[in-house]
Amino acid sequence: MIVSPKIRGFICTTSHPDGCAANVQEQINFVKSHPKIENGPKNVLVIGASAGYGLASRIVPAFGSGANTLGVFFEKPGTETRSGSAGWYNSAAFEKAATAEGLFAKSLNGDAFSHELKKQAVDIIKNEMGGKVDLIVYSLASPRRTDPDTGEVFKSVLKTTGGDYTNKTLNTDKGEVSEVTIGAATEEEIADTVKVMGGADWELWIDALADADCLAEGVKTVAYSYIGPKLTWPIYTDGTIGCAKKDCERASAAIHAKLSESLGGCAYVSVNKALVTQASSAIPVVPLYISILYKEMKAKGIHEGCIEQIQRLMADRLYSGDLQLDEDGRIRVDDWEMRDDVQASIAAAWENISNDNFNELADFQGYRDDFLKLFGFGLNGVDYEADTDTATAPPSLAE
Ligand code: NAI
């Protein structure tokens, strides 16, 4: 069928299989244009592997280090008459490209928070991946989590933990700057957000893998976080999501202690750059900040997408012997975003930005292009007038 974008607020309800494949191929080409990662990972589990940072975290080890990968995600398959989700098509393209190069690549589509999915992952690692993984990337972004023991469902909210907070925001549908007021969360909402986006499930994954003896000597694990500048702190770092990210740091220290003692392994939180992904486009204020950030970083020649960020994380930090940790023990690949000159320009633009000067001060076109690209639209070399196979599936998940 012919697929075109159908945007509803901050999501696009359709995705293009060939466009997603072209997007994945661009990322593979980027990784291949870099030297192989010396002593890189060989058997990798990526949780949240189908889009954004997790997809890049699957592509870099596979094509930069010849790694076998098991990817876990929650995506919607397509049919002959209805398009599936972008992550489904990304994973189809990834698996095909990886297996074409002789790499093992399998995927699990389901709820990563459940015990059942962890057990399925353990079975694949034991029976098909030589028994052990040496890198686990935790890159989930989810609005809800079902507690695997009690069945209780927790929902995350994007609210402040202080009082109401009013700032500029961007209506990404209309391309208009307006004001938004974000309310304060209740104690229960804060606790629920930590349950969903905090580090508890990362710990459960590592425990499940350790209990099944699936962790290699020297195993590494990493989860992703964001800090950003003060202007977004009320909604991000000091907001409900920031509380969850602090809990990831707690989990990182706990996992690190266990792994270093038993296997000479390690766990880190990596603080990454703000980028357009399905998860970040849902956060108020942040898309306007990202549009200005893109403008400044492109002007300075230091703009990066997910694949550039993860290439740098793996090649220049995790496997370089020089982690360059900050004072809180975190890896920082948001270093270029947080450069003083970049942040000073953004602060000045933020102060002055309005509908009148929006296109001068922000790269909204870049934001829109990246947003559409997430769903496989706007890629060079793809014929969007032609029929595309919406029933295509990752080979390991094909019926
Ligand atoms: P994304 O929306 O692009 O990808 C989320 C992934 O999680 C997808 O693979 C999806 O299938 C999977 N997923 C969601 N719920 C699931 C479930 N129940 N079971 C299995 N898989 C599930 O998100 P993005 O932006 O790449 O975020 C990944 C991590 O990076 C998050 O922890 C986020 O906070 C962090 N991060 C994101 C930044 C950004 O600007 N986008 C910046 C810094 C950190």
Side-chain angles (χ1 to χ4, degrees):
M1 64 185 264
I2 292 169
V3 185
S4 26
K6 284 205 179 71
I7 297 173
R8 304 267 178 277
F10 52 78
I11 69 155
C12 179
T13 58
T14 51
S15 7
H16 199 283
D18 301 336
C20 289
N23 189 8
V24 167
Q25 191 58 49
E26 268 185 12
Q27 297 189 47
I28 294 172
N29 295 346
F30 173 83
V31 175
K32 283 185 165 181
S33 72
H34 286 72
K36 290 270 167 220
I37 300 171
E38 292 287 327
N39 305 314
K42 289 292 168 221
N43 269 331
V44 179
L45 169 64
V46 181
I47 302 149
S50 54
Y53 275 117
L55 174 64
S57 305
R58 194 176 189 189
I59 293 174
V60 173
F63 294 93
S65 172
N68 301 318
T69 60
L70 173 59
V72 173
F73 47 76
F74 206 2
E75 299 294 345
K76 196 177 79 190
T79 66
E80 302 287 342
T81 52
R82 200 197 59 212
S83 83
S85 57
W88 181 257
Y89 297 135
N90 291 338
S91 303
F94 171 85
E95 277 195 15
K96 286 174 196 163
T99 47
E101 302 218 354
L103 302 170
F104 174 92
K106 275 205 169 179
S107 307
L108 287 169
N109 188 33
D111 183 9
F113 296 125
S114 68
H115 291 314
E116 176 55 28
L117 216 87
K118 293 178 176 76
K119 191 182 165 308
Q120 288 176 22
V122 161
D123 287 347
I124 292 178
I125 293 164
K126 277 200 165 311
N127 300 327
E128 301 177 62
M129 293 178 78
K132 292 185 199 289
V133 283
D134 55 3
L135 173 67
I136 302 107
V137 177
Y138 191 82
S139 186
L140 278 194
S142 173
R144 71 187 68 80
R145 172 176 174 220
T146 304
D147 185 293
D149 294 321
T150 64
E152 201 178 339
V153 179
F154 297 99
K155 288 188 179 148
S156 69
V157 297
L158 291 161
K159 291 190 179 176
T160 76
T161 56
D164 286 358
Y165 162 70
T166 301
N167 209 330
K168 292 173 187 173
T169 194
L170 175 65
N171 180 326
T172 49
D173 241 358
K174 296 186 186 144
E176 280 173 14
V177 180
S178 57
E179 268 201 347
V180 65
T181 298
I182 299 139
T186 62
E187 287 301 323
E188 193 183 351
E189 285 175 321
I190 297 171
D192 287 1
T193 305
V194 171
K195 281 239 161 42
V196 179
M197 285 297 286
D201 183 58
W202 184 21
E203 291 181 284
L204 290 179
W205 269 100
I206 300 299
D207 285 347
L209 295 164
D211 290 348
D213 196 20
C214 284
L215 298 175
E217 276 293 317
V219 64
K220 297 181 198 290
T221 183
V222 64
Y224 297 143
S225 185
Y226 181 66
I227 297 177
K230 279 198 170 128
L231 75 91
T232 61
W233 282 8
I235 178 67
Y236 202 98
T237 294
D238 292 339
T240 47
I241 181 74
C243 294
K245 293 300 182 188
K246 274 188 202 88
D247 189 64
C248 287
E249 292 182 25
R250 174 205 57 75
S252 172
I255 297 169
H256 189 87
K258 274 191 207 166
L259 295 184
S260 59
E261 195 185 295
S262 55
L263 295 160
C266 55
Y268 293 103
V269 162
S270 172
V271 183
N272 298 352
K273 177 193 177 189
L275 280 171
V276 182
T277 64
Q278 291 185 52
S280 70
S281 42
I283 308 175
V285 182
V286 168
L288 182 60
Y289 168 74
I290 290 181
S291 303
I292 304 174
L293 177 73
Y294 274 27
K295 177 104 183 175
E296 297 300 336
M297 292 187 82
K298 284 178 185 175
K300 291 182 161 64
I302 51 170
H303 177 69
E304 296 177 300
C306 290
I307 197 71
E308 289 88 352
Q309 278 271 291
I310 300 304
Q311 174 72 27
R312 215 149 59 81
L313 168 64
M314 304 238 173
D316 299 353
R317 300 288 197 278
L318 264 189
Y319 294 95
S320 73
D322 182 15
L323 290 160
Q324 301 174 42
L325 301 179
D326 69 9
E327 64 279 10
D328 293 313
R330 299 171 296 212
I331 298 174
R332 303 296 296 263
V333 283
D334 65 338
D335 47 351
W336 297 351
E337 169 179 355
M338 298 312 292
R339 257 172 42 178
D340 288 347
D341 60 328
V342 174
Q343 286 303 326
S345 310
I346 293 173
W350 189 271
E351 195 60 30
N352 296 319
I353 201 161
S354 68
N355 270 326
D356 301 335
N357 56 15
F358 177 52
N359 285 314
E360 284 149 53
L361 298 182
D363 178 22
F364 183 53
Q365 190 59 43
Y367 185 98
R368 291 283 294 188
D369 289 350
D370 271 14
F371 180 78
L372 284 170
K373 210 170 160 183
L374 294 176
F375 303 93
F377 296 107
L379 281 114
N380 289 332
V382 176
D383 181 357
Y384 290 100
E385 306 300 318
D387 265 333
T388 176
D389 177 13
T390 44
T392 191
S396 74
L397 297 173
E399 303 268 284

